[in-house]
């Protein structure tokens, strides 16, 4: 439905963004879709560009996700 908060890895070899579909949020990194959540924020790559990290809301809880 919508895509926001896009970012490239420090070496520009990887790309990730937050997508919204049917009221659920997910991260798409290099074409691979994450689990869906009730909210996602603060998407960033690690300094070496190997991982992404973001805050996800699942019900009433917030969790930190590192792929």
């Amino acid at each position: 439905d919508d895509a926001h908060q896009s970012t490239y890895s420090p070496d520009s070899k990887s790309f990730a963004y937050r997508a919204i579909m049917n009221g659920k949020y997910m991260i798409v990194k290099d074409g691979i879709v994450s689990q869906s959540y009730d909210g996602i924020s603060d998407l960033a790559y690690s300094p070496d560009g190997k991982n992404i990290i973001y805050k996800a809301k699942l019900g009433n809880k917030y969790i930190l996700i590192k792929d």
Side-chain angles (χ1 to χ4, degrees), residues 12-45:
S12 298
K13 293 182 179 179
S14 183
F15 178 71
Y17 61 92
R18 181 185 70 176
I20 305 168
M21 183 174 279
N22 299 322
K24 292 292 186 175
Y25 295 76
M26 61 225 46
I27 295 295
V28 181
K29 179 185 174 199
D30 301 327
I32 299 170
V33 181
S34 74
Q35 171 184 336
S36 62
Y37 299 97
D38 297 315
I40 291 177
S41 63
D42 301 329
L43 173 63
Y45 273 89

Side-chain angles (χ1 to χ4, degrees), residues 35-60:
Q35 171 184 336
S36 62
Y37 299 97
D38 297 315
I40 291 177
S41 63
D42 301 329
L43 173 63
Y45 273 89
S46 61
D48 65 6
K50 293 182 181 179
N51 300 99
I52 57 172
I53 191 167
Y54 53 94
K55 288 192 297 189
K57 181 180 180 188
L58 199 52
N60 291 328

